[in-house]
Amino acid sequence: MALIDENILNEKWNECLIIFRDNVLKDSFEHWFSPIKALTFDDETKVLVLGIPSEMFATQIQREFMQLYKVTLAKVFHGIKTLNFKIPIVDAPGKRTEIEVPARETPNIQSNYDPTRRTKFQVDPHLSEQFTFDSYIAGDCNRGPRAIGYKIAENPGTNWNPMFIFGPSGLGKTHLAQAIGWRVKQINPDKNVLYVSSNQFMLQYQQATLNKCIPDFLNFYASLDFLIVDDIQELEGKNGTQSAFFNIFNQLQQTGRHVVLTSDTLPKDLKTLDNRIISRFQSGYTGVLGVPDFNTKVDILNNELRNQGVEFSQDIVEYIARNVIDNVRVLKGVISSICAKSIETGEPITFDIAREVVDIIVGSSEKQLTIDDITDCVCRHYNLSVTDIATKCRKRDVVTARQVAMFLARKYTTRSLSDIGSLIGNRDHSTVIHAIRAVKDLLSTDKELSRSLASIEQELKY
């Protein structure tokens, strides 16, 4: 081994940095070149070792700057044959050791680097044991995203990457995302899976910035096998955190590792997120969670009762399902509150106790929706008048609004099919049956209709 003198090495590397600085943008130089250090150069074997903060730098050099590196290193380090990187291995944000690995193979610079070979360590996945596929009740509202999530867990990093789970609060986004993570761990226990909320991610990034250990932060996340980020909409307006996430996302996706995201906002509506991030969210699969129907809510309630080891009469279960309209989290909370009320009073669980608790949590159950309430709400949503949906107009938005109104009238009132048809456009009962079937058939595939229905039902609740 014939290592050149450290001072000579530094002079040569500074020559390289001057060339780099003249050929890239200032921000790129500061981010992707300044942190790199020349560690050794063997004048016999012509091997240069560079210290880089993370695998992400190796990927970025390969993808964006390799031609510049080839020309520059050949000019300054005469006869160079091999480029190696010394990369820190981080087993938690802020905690690291260092290993030396060959650099990724590049044109005209020989190497035996395997980009898939990474030192393994075990990360606490931060998954809740209650959020599994076994406890995630399937229904028309979630069947598609659940099926895709299950397939992703069986073969991560291939199709539907990223998976973007969308739905209003309380519909089970976190449960589904974590169920996917648990399934990945069940099939491949050695894979490093991590669930993190966007707020936790931001706090970690801020701490890494204060401690001047951003490379450690990036390296930790870039070395995961499967990343789940909850409530990604919280990154809106956080430019520094967005930039860090963008780099991590690219590294994971480009190296065949999977990302699952949840949000109460669709990608196209994340107005203050960088367009590059939005386009990447849209490049995978967007799973829309809808409002559970009555039967699905009954199944969810019965499953939760089994989990809590308590029994309710079926009329109580059905009463809760009818009156808690659109929030799975509230369904489970009502069960706990009814049990607590029974303990407080020392009385057995009765229908009257259940009704009292439901009234407190979701409002008076005595208020009954009318067909007029429903048609007014639907017309406001579609920017139509009540007269519009009463006509024989066949424009798509008018037909959709009319069918949605009939569907919701059947769901939330006790009026007959004939009454519903008569009060909504003076139609017969067969038209109402067709409308209900049409809406049900479209809900599993028409994301816009699913979102509209969720929005209308949310407004009807209040």
Side-chain angles (χ1 to χ4, degrees), residues 106-336:
T106 60
N108 300 329
I109 299 181
Q110 297 177 358
S111 170
N112 60 355
Y113 175 54
D114 177 1
T116 65
R117 186 184 68 197
R118 305 191 312 278
T119 297
K120 298 300 292 183
F121 54 89
Q122 286 301 307
V123 170
D124 181 348
H126 295 288
L127 298 170
S128 172
E129 293 183 358
Q130 63 180 326
F131 290 154
T132 66
F133 275 113
D134 287 341
S135 60
Y136 191 76
I137 303 301
D140 291 340
C141 57
N142 59 24
R143 203 177 307 280
R146 186 186 190 279
I148 295 297
Y150 200 88
K151 287 185 176 294
I152 286 172
E154 292 184 324
N155 194 16
T158 52
N159 298 320
W160 308 298
N161 191 12
M163 180 181 187
F164 191 98
I165 304 172
F166 163 78
S169 178
L171 294 187
K173 299 186 297 295
T174 299
H175 190 155
L176 178 56
Q178 292 206 23
I180 297 169
W182 274 122
R183 182 62 180 160
V184 172
K185 291 292 287 184
Q186 184 181 25
I187 298 172
N188 297 289
D190 291 337
K191 282 194 179 294
N192 274 323
V193 176
L194 179 67
Y195 164 86
V196 64
S197 71
S198 289
N199 283 326
Q200 289 171 321
F201 183 87
M202 284 188 286
L203 289 173
Q204 291 173 2
Y205 173 76
Q206 291 166 3
Q207 193 63 44
T209 302
L210 290 173
N211 294 337
K212 298 182 179 180
C213 60
I214 288 295
D216 287 354
F217 171 82
L218 295 176
N219 193 35
F220 169 74
Y221 274 96
S223 61
L224 297 170
D225 296 302
F226 200 99
L227 176 62
I228 303 165
V229 184
D230 209 358
D231 292 323
I232 197 67
Q233 76 278 356
E234 297 294 338
L235 294 191
E236 285 197 287
K238 312 295 192 303
N239 293 334
T241 311
Q242 282 184 37
S243 178
F245 176 78
F246 179 72
N247 290 328
I248 291 166
F249 180 95
N250 281 343
Q251 171 73 3
L252 295 179
Q253 193 177 53
Q254 290 163 7
T255 52
R257 288 167 281 169
H258 220 105
V259 180
V260 172
L261 310 161
T262 78
S263 175
D264 63 10
T265 307
L266 284 166
K268 68 181 181 64
D269 296 323
L270 294 167
K271 301 301 185 184
T272 62
L273 239 58
D274 189 288
N275 286 334
R276 297 174 303 166
I277 298 178
I278 293 174
S279 67
R280 281 160 175 77
F281 290 172
Q282 294 172 324
S283 69
Y285 165 76
T286 299
V288 178
L289 301 184
V291 176
D293 59 22
F294 174 79
N295 290 331
T296 303
K297 286 188 286 185
V298 168
D299 290 342
I300 292 170
L301 287 165
N302 285 328
N303 183 69
E304 185 66 17
L305 289 169
R306 286 192 295 272
N307 290 339
Q308 294 194 23
V310 295
E311 292 185 7
F312 285 6
S313 64
Q314 198 59 24
D315 61 334
I316 292 177
V317 171
E318 292 180 0
Y319 177 80
I320 298 169
R322 281 195 300 271
N323 287 279
V324 179
I325 296 176
D326 60 359
N327 196 306
V328 174
R329 192 179 298 123
V330 174
L331 283 174
K332 297 178 179 180
V334 166
I335 289 176
S336 297

Side-chain angles (χ1 to χ4, degrees), residues 168 291 325-326 362 367 369 372-383 408 412 451-462:
V291 176
I325 296 176
D326 60 359
V362 300
K367 179 182 181 297
L369 289 173
D372 285 343
D373 293 332
I374 291 168
T375 52
D376 286 345
C377 187
V378 170
C379 287
R380 281 197 303 273
H381 179 84
Y382 287 99
N383 197 27
L408 293 174
Y412 291 112
R451 289 192 294 273
S452 293
L453 203 61
S455 176
I456 293 167
E457 289 184 305
Q458 180 73 12
E459 185 174 348
L460 286 172
K461 179 180 176 181
Y462 296 103

Side-chain angles (χ1 to χ4, degrees), residues 379-427:
C379 287
R380 281 197 303 273
H381 179 84
Y382 287 99
N383 197 27
L384 299 169
S385 69
V386 175
T387 303
D388 288 332
I389 66 172
T391 65
K392 296 186 182 297
C393 178
R394 300 299 300 170
K395 287 183 179 179
R396 182 179 178 182
D397 58 341
V398 175
V399 172
T400 299
R402 186 185 300 125
Q403 290 179 337
V404 167
M406 291 177 175
F407 174 85
L408 293 174
R410 183 60 171 173
K411 182 175 181 179
Y412 291 112
T413 74
T414 58
R415 303 299 290 264
S416 67
L417 294 174
S418 296
D419 287 344
I420 293 170
S422 176
L423 293 169
I424 302 177
N426 196 27
R427 268 46 175 197

